[in-house]
Amino acid sequence: MSDTHTLPAGGAAALAARQYHLAHEPHPENGTSLGFWLYLMSDCLIFAVLFATYGVLGRNYAGGPTGAELFDLKLVAINTAFLLLSSITFGFAMLSKQQRDVRGTLAWLAVTGLLGLAFLAVELYEFAHLLHEGAGPQRSAFLSSFFTLVGTHGLHVTFGTIWLVTLMIQIGKHGLIPENTRRLNCLSMFWHFLDVVWIGVFTFVYLMGVL
């Protein structure tokens, strides 16, 4: 008696169709984009909560220093320029990607990463200066909400920069294959999202803080 099993004709056809689908369509079209948009929406909720918290606690100084006494608008403006310029250079990287120019894409991504690192360096300097002045997050509710909001954005930029470097390595090794193109599109959305959030931080926290 044979141990082999034969499939009915209909079952064999279904199995062949499934194998064809897995081999030729391993990733649902627009599946990553939809999932990443959902992630960005959840991140919007996180920052909305942090902005609301700062709106409630941002004037509770507990007898400590105020934003007008602590914030250096010139330094923050320079830092804002770094991040906004990085958004422009990322746009150039996307244009190079559309032209299938691997070297141009990597070059613009490198410039974007350097601007992101410059932004983080200035932000760390600002935090260190505030801590040196005794204006740490434990000093008042205003400073607690400030460090939480600005620090959370800084962590996002940090992870975005790590993602950018990782993607540069993948593009350098494999080129602009569909997988890397999809990842680059997601990173582009993430990076521009961080720019939009920072504009809110700059306006709501720093500009209004010195008024």
Side-chain angles (χ1 to χ4, degrees):
M1 185 175 183
S2 176
D3 292 333
T4 60
H5 299 280
T6 58
L7 290 172
L15 179 61
R18 181 174 181 272
Q19 290 174 340
Y20 177 85
H21 176 78
L22 292 175
H24 295 273
E25 299 181 46
H27 192 88
E29 186 177 0
N30 297 325
T32 298
S33 296
L34 175 61
F36 201 76
W37 272 112
L38 293 175
Y39 160 72
L40 287 182
M41 293 303 101
S42 69
D43 238 11
C44 282
L45 294 176
I46 292 174
F47 279 107
V49 170
L50 294 178
F51 274 109
T53 302
Y54 183 84
V56 173
L57 302 177
R59 301 292 180 178
N60 295 344
Y61 305 119
T66 67
E69 296 170 335
L70 293 174
F71 296 153
D72 184 352
L73 274 187
K74 291 182 179 179
L75 183 66
V76 179
I78 293 173
N79 215 23
T80 301
F82 284 147
L83 198 60
L84 295 182
L85 282 175
S86 74
S87 187
I88 295 173
T89 57
F90 207 122
F92 287 135
M94 296 300 288
L95 291 175
S96 297
K97 183 263 295 183
Q98 291 180 350
Q99 298 170 357
R100 312 302 297 173
D101 181 3
V102 174
R103 296 181 65 179
T105 302
L106 290 174
W108 284 115
L109 288 178
V111 175
T112 302
L114 290 175
L115 290 170
L117 290 175
F119 172 85
L120 291 172
V122 174
E123 189 166 280
L124 288 174
Y125 169 80
E126 180 190 26
F127 281 6
H129 176 72
L130 292 176
L131 293 173
H132 179 73
E133 295 293 323
Q138 75 283 357
R139 180 65 183 82
S140 65
F142 152 64
L143 287 168
S144 296
S145 57
F146 166 79
F147 274 93
T148 303
L149 174 57
V150 179
T152 300
H153 179 271
L155 283 176
H156 278 70
V157 176
T158 301
F159 291 132
T161 304
I162 295 172
W163 183 4
L164 187 148
V165 173
T166 303
L167 188 53
M168 286 180 63
I169 295 173
Q170 292 175 331
I171 293 174
K173 185 176 181 180
H174 302 292
L176 291 170
I177 58 177
E179 291 81 1
N180 285 338
T181 299
R182 186 168 61 246
R183 294 163 187 154
L184 191 58
N185 291 336
C186 290
L187 180 56
S188 175
M189 288 190 292
F190 181 73
W191 200 269
H192 294 309
F193 167 76
L194 295 181
D195 282 353
V196 173
V197 172
W198 181 254
I199 291 173
V201 172
F202 179 71
T203 304
F204 189 59
V205 175
Y206 290 101
L207 287 182
M208 293 182 65
V210 300
L211 296 178

